């Protein structure tokens, strides 16, 4: 349904994204093993690539390339950057599907990963550099806390605008 209703050529936003259905994670719950999720992610990715003519990038434990384990690496350049690179840069070719973005839906990342909790913190400031600095300090990839992902973005606040 998202491929019908969302047009990535008209979409914009602060959060990194590569497609209308940006990411589909398979997460082990209960006694399910991560290996089962890897198998499901890879089979599902191949099926949706064929069914919807959608480029699919495998990430996390399902990644076929080590540089694609991190979702942030798959999303590098976002939709606009991927639109330019998908057909010309072999490193940006999808794991499944066409080497071109879907006309409206873009691309999708399909993966297997452990559970995570997204925790958003709203700061009482419009100072974006401060938010980015805080994110850089606390996220694991910058040497911060283990398993923490963080980014600073400026959000619209309807309460302040009305």
């Amino acid at each position: 349904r998202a491929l019908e209703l969302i047009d990535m050529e008209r979409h914009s936003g602060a959060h990194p994204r590569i497609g209308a259905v940006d990411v589909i994670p398979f997460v082990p719950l209960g006694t399910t093993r991560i290996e089962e999720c890897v198998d499901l992610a890879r089979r599902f990715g191949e099926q949706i690539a064929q069914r919807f003519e959608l480029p699919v990038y495998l990430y996390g434990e399902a990644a076929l390339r080590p540089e694609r384990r991190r979702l942030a690496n798959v999303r590098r350049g976002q939709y606009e950057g991927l639109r330019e690179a998908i057909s010309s840069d072999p490193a940006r070719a999808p794991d499944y599907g066409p080497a071109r973005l879907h006309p409206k839906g873009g691309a999708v990342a399909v993966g297997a990963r452990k559970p995570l909790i997204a925790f958003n913190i709203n700061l009482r400031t419009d100072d974006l550099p401060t938010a980015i600095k805080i994110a850089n300090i606390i996220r694991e990839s910058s040497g911060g806390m283990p398993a923490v992902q963080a980014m600073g973005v400026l959000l619209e606040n309807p309460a302040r605008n009305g």
Side-chain angles (χ1 to χ4, degrees):
R1 187 79 171 132
L3 295 177
E4 295 171 20
L5 299 176
I6 299 171
D7 184 348
M8 289 302 295
E9 287 295 314
R10 296 176 180 213
H11 180 272
S12 64
H15 196 282
R17 81 283 185 261
I18 58 170
V21 179
D22 184 61
V23 61
I24 302 171
F26 285 81
V27 180
L29 300 175
T31 59
T32 304
R33 296 174 305 120
I34 191 70
E35 294 82 8
E36 295 172 85
C37 292
V38 168
D39 182 55
L40 285 169
R42 290 176 178 170
R43 288 190 293 134
F44 182 78
E46 189 172 22
Q47 288 176 12
I48 63 171
Q50 291 173 1
R51 181 173 177 183
F52 298 106
E53 295 186 38
L54 192 67
V56 173
Y57 293 85
L58 297 172
Y59 80 98
E61 297 294 320
L64 297 175
R65 302 179 188 192
E67 67 273 15
R68 291 188 179 167
R69 287 183 66 84
R70 291 188 62 237
L71 181 58
N73 291 344
V74 172
R75 285 181 173 152
R76 185 175 33 86
Q78 297 195 53
Y79 172 81
E80 292 78 10
L82 186 58
R83 179 179 54 213
E84 304 303 320
I86 191 170
S87 62
S88 62
D89 182 355
R92 300 306 307 268
D95 294 299
Y96 302 121
R100 60 171 166 63
L101 294 180
H102 182 277
K104 289 178 65 179
V108 63
V110 178
R113 62 160 173 78
K114 293 180 180 176
L116 66 77
I117 296 172
F119 182 71
N120 298 324
I121 300 171
N122 294 326
L123 305 176
R124 285 190 187 158
T125 180
D126 288 341
D127 183 11
L128 184 57
T130 296
I132 292 170
K133 183 177 180 181
I134 292 168
N136 285 336
I137 291 169
I138 66 171
R139 75 170 156 245
E140 180 180 34
S141 66
S142 301
M145 296 179 281
V148 172
Q149 297 178 25
M151 62 187 238
V153 297
L154 189 60
L155 301 176
E156 282 283 324
N157 185 343
R160 271 192 267 164
N161 296 334

